Amino acid sequence: MNFETKLIDNISQIKRPKLIFSSGRVNHFDGNIIYCDPFPAPIGSLCIVKDQMGKEVLAEVIRFNEKHNMLAILEHSSHIVSGCEVSLQNDGRYIEVDNTLLGRVTDAFGKPLDEKPLSKIKNKWPLMGKVMNPLKRSLIKKPLDVGVRIINALLTVGQGQRLGIIAGSGVGKSVLLGMMSKYTEADVVVIALIGERAREVGTMVNELFRDDSAKKITVVAVPADRSPLMRIRGANRATAIAEYFRDQGKNVLLIMDSLTRIAHAKREIGLSLGEAATSKGYPPSVISMIPNLIERTGTSDQGDGSITSFYTILADGDDNNDPVVDTARAILDGHIVLSRLNAQMGIYPAIDIPNSISRVMNDLIADDHSNASKLFRKHVSAYIENKDLLLMGGYTSGQDKDLDDAIAIWPKLIDFISQSSSEKANFESSRMALLKLYEQVR
């Protein structure tokens, strides 16, 4: 062994000193943003700020320059003044995750909200996920049973598909999400309740954890009164949990409620950092965040695991052309629109069939199923478009065959669409019911 080889071996055996992160002190602050002395800490790092009362307040690094580190306070009612000490807690890059989380409710930092002890978790996963090669991702080949007849039959969802649920307020969105969570055949269900009212969080959690289906459900809840950074971290954490189980070869159902409130949180942060507002006050960072979050789901590039994701999108004032709606609709593999008119008529789930679509449905179903679904859509559209004319008595039978057929079959269509929250309809029974409706069962 020559001298050069010995030197290389000796160098490789040297124990490199760990990088010691120094602390700093608050210089000044602006609202919930504090400026402190600069010290090495990547964006997203979690820090502890000791306020003048001795309380430890959590903050997250959101920007830095040569003169300051900028941190956003994650807690309310803090007594932070200039000179308070700031120290690094961790870089915030990884979360702890394993099967222990199933059947549990946690917050944005993984702390249990159900007041039960959480055993030690050994496995870790990157909070912001892992980059995948798009050419190596598996194709969507199999349907996923979500337990809702109208979705299984007319908006068939594939394992690894990403869909949006576009809805205004009070049209049965939460009930539909609860039905899918309990009745789906997915191996694991990850539910992110981001920016919801605390009452709704409690109501939904109590409903979900009422039966045996709770064993495969985990909930990440960040109510509306938490800081915007905690809401964004909660969304990323829920996605990371889903990615971990996908990596284990599981078929995961991820329900994110709601993407709009995550966008609102990002807008708050962007505007506080001085970003220019664009359409409806959304800065550019919001438009870039939505694809980054959605693209983390889908099929895997190294196995049979998948993440089928549903993102609820709030259409304020029933405006389906909101910037968040448009951005999400452009990148998702389909969307389900909930109709206020259907809800007012007492039709639940209140799905607007003509305006809803699953872009992978035709790749997953047989020809007879496809033909029956097209006829169903045609009859629903014909009846709705001419409903006012029918009510006024301005239509005479025989003028339009499609409309005549729609009028004759309309009560059966309503019965097919309607499904109580306590009723489960699996994929095969939904398909057979649709074929029977059009007498195509062989």
Side-chain angles (χ1 to χ4, degrees):
M1 184 181 293
N2 57 32
F3 174 77
E4 184 174 317
T5 305
K6 288 182 179 179
L7 180 61
I8 292 173
D9 288 342
N10 290 336
I11 292 175
S12 64
Q13 293 173 6
I14 294 176
K15 292 184 178 180
R16 300 181 183 276
K18 294 182 179 180
L19 182 62
I20 300 174
F21 292 94
S22 59
S23 60
R25 292 192 177 276
V26 176
N27 299 139
H28 61 281
F29 52 91
D30 181 9
N32 286 329
I33 307 297
I34 63 173
Y35 298 75
C36 72
D37 301 328
F39 56 88
I43 299 294
S45 297
L46 298 177
C47 298
I48 295 294
V49 183
K50 286 189 177 181
D51 67 9
Q52 62 177 354
M53 307 297 293
K55 177 184 176 183
E56 293 186 342
V57 180
L58 201 59
E60 181 176 332
V61 177
I62 57 175
R63 181 181 286 185
F64 48 80
N65 54 36
E66 294 179 356
K67 296 182 179 180
H68 296 105
N69 282 4
M70 296 175 61
L71 296 86
I73 301 300
L74 300 181
E75 301 176 35
H76 300 297
S77 304
S78 57
H79 300 272
I80 297 175
V81 296
S82 296
C84 287
E85 183 181 351
V86 182
S87 58
L88 183 69
Q89 185 184 47
N90 65 65
D91 60 11
R93 291 176 58 194
Y94 292 91
I95 66 166
E96 296 179 337
V97 56
D98 62 13
N99 290 341
T100 306
L101 293 178
L102 298 180
R104 304 301 302 273
V105 184
T106 54
D107 65 7
F109 301 105
K111 296 179 181 178
L113 294 177
D114 49 13
E115 297 183 346
K116 299 176 183 177
L118 192 62
S119 58
K120 181 66 176 178
I121 300 176
K122 297 180 180 179
N123 297 329
K124 292 186 177 181
W125 189 266
L127 178 66
M128 303 307 295
K130 297 178 181 179
V131 178
M132 290 191 292
N133 185 339
L135 298 182
K136 291 184 178 181
R137 284 199 173 199
S138 304
L139 298 177
I140 299 174
K141 299 177 181 179
K142 298 179 181 179
L144 177 69
D145 182 3
V146 296
V148 180
R149 182 168 49 248
I150 191 67
I151 297 178
N152 283 337
L154 297 180
L155 299 163
T156 305
V157 177
Q159 294 179 5
Q161 187 175 357
R162 293 84 57 90
L163 294 102
I165 298 179
I166 304 172
S169 57
V171 293
K173 168 178 59 68
S174 298
V175 175
L176 178 60
L177 296 180
M179 291 171 67
M180 290 194 293
S181 302
K182 291 188 295 183
Y183 301 146
T184 182
E185 288 190 349
D187 300 318
V188 175
V189 180
V190 180
I191 303 174
L193 302 176
I194 310 298
E196 292 287 342
R197 295 185 292 273
R199 179 189 61 80
E200 286 193 358
V201 171
T203 301
M204 189 166 187
V205 168
N206 290 333
E207 180 66 26
L208 290 173
F209 287 74
R210 187 173 293 177
D211 51 35
D212 290 340
S213 63
K215 295 178 181 178
K216 66 177 183 180
I217 297 176
T218 182
V219 178
V220 177
V222 187
D225 61 342
R226 302 301 191 266
S227 74
L229 275 171
M230 287 184 68
R231 281 174 259 159
I232 295 173
R233 182 173 285 269
N236 285 319
R237 177 181 176 79
T239 306
I241 293 172
E243 288 175 315
Y244 167 81
F245 284 110
R246 176 181 62 187
D247 195 58
Q248 306 299 308
K250 306 286 188 181
N251 290 316
V252 183
L253 175 62
L254 171 64
I255 295 176
M256 189 79 67
D257 185 20
S258 72
L259 188 64
T260 303
R261 293 193 175 109
I262 299 168
H264 289 174
K266 188 67 174 179
R267 179 172 62 184
E268 288 183 50
I269 298 168
L271 294 178
S272 66
L273 292 176
E275 285 190 63
T278 56
S279 177
K280 289 199 173 182
Y282 289 105
S285 59
V286 175
I287 307 304
S288 64
M289 177 205 67
I290 293 174
N292 291 339
L293 187 64
I294 293 174
E295 278 298 313
R296 292 173 59 183
T297 63
T299 55
S300 176
D301 64 348
Q302 52 180 7
D304 297 328
S306 66
I307 302 174
T308 306
S309 52
F310 285 86
Y311 298 89
T312 65
I313 307 165
L314 304 178
D316 295 331
D318 294 336
D319 178 14
N320 291 334
N321 295 315
D322 181 85
V324 176
V325 176
D326 279 342
T327 303
R329 189 161 43 194
I331 196 171
L332 291 168
D333 303 319
H335 55 270
I336 298 172
V337 179
L338 299 187
S339 165
R340 188 171 300 280
L341 178 61
N342 285 8
Q344 291 171 347
M345 293 169 60
I347 302 173
Y348 290 98
I351 295 176
D352 185 344
I353 296 167
N355 290 317
S356 303
I357 188 172
S358 171
R359 295 179 183 173
V360 304
M361 176 177 175
N362 290 331
D363 298 329
L364 304 173
I365 61 175
D367 291 341
D368 55 352
H369 186 173
S370 177
N371 293 334
S373 67
K374 290 175 183 176
L375 280 174
F376 195 107
R377 284 176 172 273
K378 181 190 291 186
H379 289 154
V380 170
S381 297
Y383 189 91
I384 292 176
E385 289 173 3
N386 295 279
K387 183 181 177 182
D388 291 340
L389 185 64
L390 295 173
L391 292 175
M392 291 187 298
Y395 175 76
T396 303
S397 178
Q399 294 178 340
D400 186 330
K401 184 179 182 306
D402 288 338
L403 183 54
D404 290 340
D405 293 342
I407 295 171
I409 203 174
W410 182 251
K412 294 182 179 179
L413 299 182
I414 295 299
D415 289 341
F416 185 88
I417 296 171
S418 301
Q419 180 178 343
S420 69
S421 59
S422 59
E423 177 188 356
K424 177 182 178 180
N426 63 37
F427 179 80
E428 186 58 25
S429 66
S430 302
R431 185 184 72 87
M432 295 296 288
L434 177 64
L435 295 179
K436 186 177 180 180
L437 185 65
Y438 287 100
E439 299 179 350
Q440 293 189 24
V441 174
R442 296 178 181 177

